[in-house]
Amino acid sequence: MKKSLWALLLAGTLALGACKKTAPLSESAIIPLPQEITDGGGTFTLTAESGIKLVGSGDQLTKIGEYLAGKLRPATGYEIPVSFDGGQIVLELTGNDKAEAYELEVSDSGVKITSSGEAGLFYGVQTLLQLFPQEIANSTTQTANWEIPGGTIKDAPTFEYRGSMLDVARHFISVDDVKYYIDQMAIYKLNYLHLHLTDDQGWRIEIKSWPKLTEIGGSTEVGGGEGGFYTQEQYKDIVAYAADRFITIVPEIDMPGHTNSALASYAELNPGVNLPDGNLDSVNKAPLDYEMPLKNPQASELYTGIEVGWSTFAPKLELTYAFVDSVVREISEITPGPYFHIGGDESHVTEKDDYVYFVERVQDIVSKYNKTSIGWDEIATAKLLPGNVAQFWALEENAKLAKEQGNKVLMSPSKKAYLDMQYDSTSRIGLHWAAYVELDSAYLWDPAEYTEGITAENILGVEAPLWTETVTNKADIDYLVFPRLSAIAEVAWTKKERRSWESFSKRISSHGKRWDIQGVGFYKSPKVNW
Ligand code: TNX
């Protein structure tokens, strides 16, 4: 009797042990799902003796090795040296191109990540980190079996532009919170961060030749808080921090609409009126077919509400273009990336012809400073310069206009990719003018099939914007962004044939555990068994 009890206990313990056995590589919770995973025999276990060996050369190679070590050290408590001499985790850079593709091999004896580009190597590192047990996300030493399954991964992105946007204008977002966001984006192999730097409620980037933009225009935000702005030094710091994580910053100056913060800062940017009786009531409501400049320009008032579509630059005023030139020049000088976002959305009070004239002139200014313009889809009603990009958010006919002109479309359909949409009617913050966007909805779409006539060859990529009318702090960001950003990242990275909600909804729960460990206050969607 006693003996059989012991046997039972032993069998139970063994069974438990078996449950804990590392799942095969093909069942790992990697997001975005790699394009090709082949299971192999064996497992690799990280120990106190493990190190990282670098092979090849390149500015970033050592940084990538240190990045990986920096993620492995806290929870394991191991030293994890990084060197060109030896180590079981090999990071091999085989070229010096911009490749994002990588290969990852795991066997009993070690791990090897290979890519011909630094970005690809970095993505291989992200995949590797997701293979370790979730305890790896801790910032203090844990006891765990640091084992990962053997096999091979061959991976490359489907779309070249995989982005997110932060609206730092409606509510200002601090440099630290932007860096936090960049860190999160890097985990999901996103490579563009679009900063919506200006809007009616705030101007958030220092322009040395027009200092009142930040002094006045940066002094408040939605709800009347104190606002804020980035100095050019802080902006450069963000750019560099992002670059170390293979993320390119895309600055946006939204115009000719959404410009009240600039119009409040400088009276002379406003269309004045020749008033016979000195009555200023009609200031800013003047029709746009007058001679410019007129007398009595008045600065508008700062705005802290959330209405859209009521402000406009004066497209017939020559000073407007001198202003735009200075702004584009100063920002381009500190932006290494190829894109400059010119906004162009919801210019409801700009006359149609004036709008087209304005967009075309601003595109010329941007190209003079060697940048490529991106604009919200409305810009496709103007003649786009070759290579410029229309960001689809609302109107399919605008996406088609871009395509007909031979220009590419960046896919941000508001019903799928807008991170500020509420999940459902009970969501504590967010808007819902486009749709309620539950996690499955954010996942279940394909960029190349979403808009009729817009196929893969017309698409630059995918971007998930976070508008911040209702977002005031990091907890709000966490709640709206996670887990939907991970879903969009997979939509942008993994080819359609490999994606399924069933698989994603299982994998995402493991990311939830890591978010819990790291204090990321994500939305526990009822669609997932967390
Ligand atoms: C529309 S999307 C806007 C933004 C708002 C957003 C709120 C777009 C190009 N314009 O100004 O913040 O809706 O969801």
Side-chain angles (χ1 to χ4, degrees):
M1 195 68 188
K2 253 197 173 168
K3 252 189 190 165
S4 54
L5 204 81
W6 276 116
L8 250 173
L9 262 174
L10 186 67
T13 317
L14 281 175
L16 265 178
C19 281
K20 272 220 143 178
K21 210 177 148 246
T22 304
L25 191 61
S26 56
E27 285 167 33
S28 306
I30 308 164
I31 296 177
L33 185 66
Q35 310 290 11
E36 217 183 299
I37 306 179
T38 313
D39 289 326
T43 55
F44 169 73
T45 306
L46 191 79
T47 68
E49 277 69 53
S50 301
I52 296 168
K53 179 181 177 179
L54 307 174
V55 180
S57 60
D59 300 345
Q60 297 266 11
L61 183 57
T62 307
K63 275 191 189 168
I64 297 168
E66 283 300 338
Y67 176 95
L68 174 58
K71 299 283 178 193
L72 295 175
R73 283 171 189 148
T76 62
Y78 302 154
E79 202 185 320
I80 322 270
V82 180
S83 75
F84 286 87
D85 309 327
Q88 291 169 300
I89 301 178
V90 177
L91 304 185
E92 184 176 351
L93 191 60
T94 59
N96 59 355
D97 57 31
K98 297 239 169 285
E100 296 188 305
Y102 68 91
E103 277 190 43
L104 170 74
E105 262 179 72
V106 182
S107 68
D108 289 327
S109 55
V111 174
K112 186 173 177 182
I113 302 173
T114 323
S115 175
S116 63
E118 292 166 333
L121 210 56
F122 184 72
Y123 297 146
V125 161
Q126 295 300 344
T127 298
L128 173 62
L129 285 167
Q130 293 190 18
L131 295 177
F132 282 100
Q134 68 223 20
E135 288 82 4
I136 201 74
N138 280 278
S139 54
T140 55
T141 313
Q142 309 291 307
T143 35
N145 182 19
W146 305 111
E147 185 178 270
I148 62 176
T152 309
I153 290 176
K154 287 187 183 159
D155 201 11
T158 299
F159 289 104
E160 68 172 78
Y161 186 117
R162 306 174 304 282
S164 186
M165 184 203 86
L166 288 177
D167 168 9
V168 300
R170 268 50 177 277
H171 280 102
F172 182 61
I173 300 179
S174 70
V175 173
D176 281 349
D177 284 350
V178 172
K179 287 182 175 175
Y180 161 78
Y181 199 74
I182 288 169
D183 282 331
Q184 299 300 323
M185 285 177 65
I187 293 171
Y188 296 101
K189 304 184 174 82
L190 296 168
N191 61 353
Y192 284 93
L193 173 60
H194 166 186
L195 293 175
H196 182 78
L197 291 166
T198 64
D199 213 303
D200 290 320
Q201 300 86 347
W203 187 283
R204 309 298 180 204
I205 177 79
E206 174 194 17
I207 302 296
K208 293 185 194 290
S209 54
W210 294 79
K212 286 197 283 182
L213 290 169
T214 43
E215 208 176 285
I216 297 172
S219 67
T220 191
E221 60 184 8
V222 167
E226 67 180 15
F229 66 91
Y230 310 124
T231 63
Q232 293 197 0
E233 289 309 308
Q234 288 174 319
Y235 177 84
K236 286 195 255 180
D237 181 38
I238 291 172
V239 165
Y241 190 86
D244 279 348
R245 287 149 187 81
F246 299 90
I247 292 171
T248 301
I249 299 296
V250 179
E252 177 185 353
I253 300 299
D254 199 354
M255 52 195 164
H258 291 273
T259 42
N260 183 70
S261 60
L263 297 167
S265 306
Y266 286 97
E268 57 267 43
L269 291 175
N270 293 268
V273 276
N274 284 320
L275 298 163
D277 57 0
N279 173 0
L280 295 178
D281 283 355
S282 53
V283 167
N284 291 335
K285 294 189 193 105
L288 286 164
D289 54 352
Y290 42 66
E291 288 263 303
M292 284 286 195
L294 299 179
K295 291 186 195 123
N296 306 318
Q298 283 276 302
S300 64
E301 284 183 12
L302 290 167
Y303 181 68
T304 59
I306 65 166
E307 293 298 317
V308 296
W310 51 273
S311 60
T312 184
F313 276 156
K316 290 202 170 87
L317 180 64
E318 205 42 43
L319 184 67
T320 298
Y321 301 99
F323 169 82
V324 171
D325 191 288
S326 303
V327 170
V328 174
R329 174 177 49 77
E330 289 197 30
I331 295 176
S332 295
E333 274 167 8
I334 53 175
T335 301
Y339 297 115
F340 192 104
H341 202 301
I342 60 175
D345 58 317
E346 299 173 320
S347 286
H348 303 322
V349 295
T350 319
E351 217 203 288
K352 168 90 182 130
D353 292 349
D354 288 337
Y355 175 83
V356 167
Y357 174 76
F358 179 87
V359 168
E360 290 174 2
R361 273 196 75 173
V362 171
Q363 283 186 104
D364 286 338
I365 294 170
V366 169
S367 103
K368 180 173 109 189
Y369 292 109
N370 297 315
K371 299 294 177 196
T372 298
S373 292
I374 305 182
W376 298 106
D377 61 43
E378 292 97 316
I379 67 158
T381 59
K383 178 149 181 30
L384 299 177
L385 291 181
N388 284 359
V389 178
Q391 183 167 8
F392 168 75
W393 67 282
L395 289 183
E396 302 203 352
E397 58 260 40
N398 288 337
K400 283 181 193 144
L401 285 176
K403 175 191 162 171
E404 280 159 20
Q405 299 192 53
N407 293 77
K408 287 207 175 180
V409 177
L410 176 58
M411 294 296 288
S412 300
S414 46
K415 290 179 171 54
K416 296 289 180 184
Y418 268 29
L419 299 171
D420 66 316
M421 289 298 117
Q422 292 180 304
Y423 295 97
D424 65 22
S425 61
T426 69
S427 299
R428 67 173 179 85
I429 48 171
L431 305 175
H432 65 263
W433 62 265
Y436 291 118
V437 185
E438 243 306 342
L439 179 61
D440 54 347
S441 178
Y443 184 81
L444 288 167
W445 65 290
D446 186 61
E449 288 175 3
Y450 188 81
T451 304
E452 209 201 293
I454 305 293
T455 55
E457 68 263 24
N458 314 124
I459 296 174
L460 177 67
V462 179
E463 185 181 287
L466 179 69
W467 300 100
T468 59
E469 285 94 334
T470 66
V471 174
T472 58
N473 53 39
K474 176 179 170 290
D476 292 349
I477 295 175
D478 283 353
Y479 171 76
L480 287 175
V481 167
F482 303 107
R484 285 185 293 198
L485 188 65
S486 319
I488 301 291
E490 184 154 304
V491 167
W493 179 281
T494 310
K495 58 177 188 261
K496 187 191 153 226
E497 300 71 47
R498 263 190 75 69
R499 288 192 273 116
S500 82
W501 164 252
E502 203 211 338
S503 158
F504 178 81
S505 60
K506 283 194 196 117
R507 282 177 284 124
I508 195 70
S509 70
S510 143
H511 292 245
K513 296 191 180 93
R514 291 178 188 226
W515 289 329
D516 277 338
I517 290 170
Q518 300 194 323
V520 177
F522 68 104
Y523 165 67
K524 295 210 157 111
S525 166
K527 305 270 173 179
V528 172
N529 184 4
W530 300 100

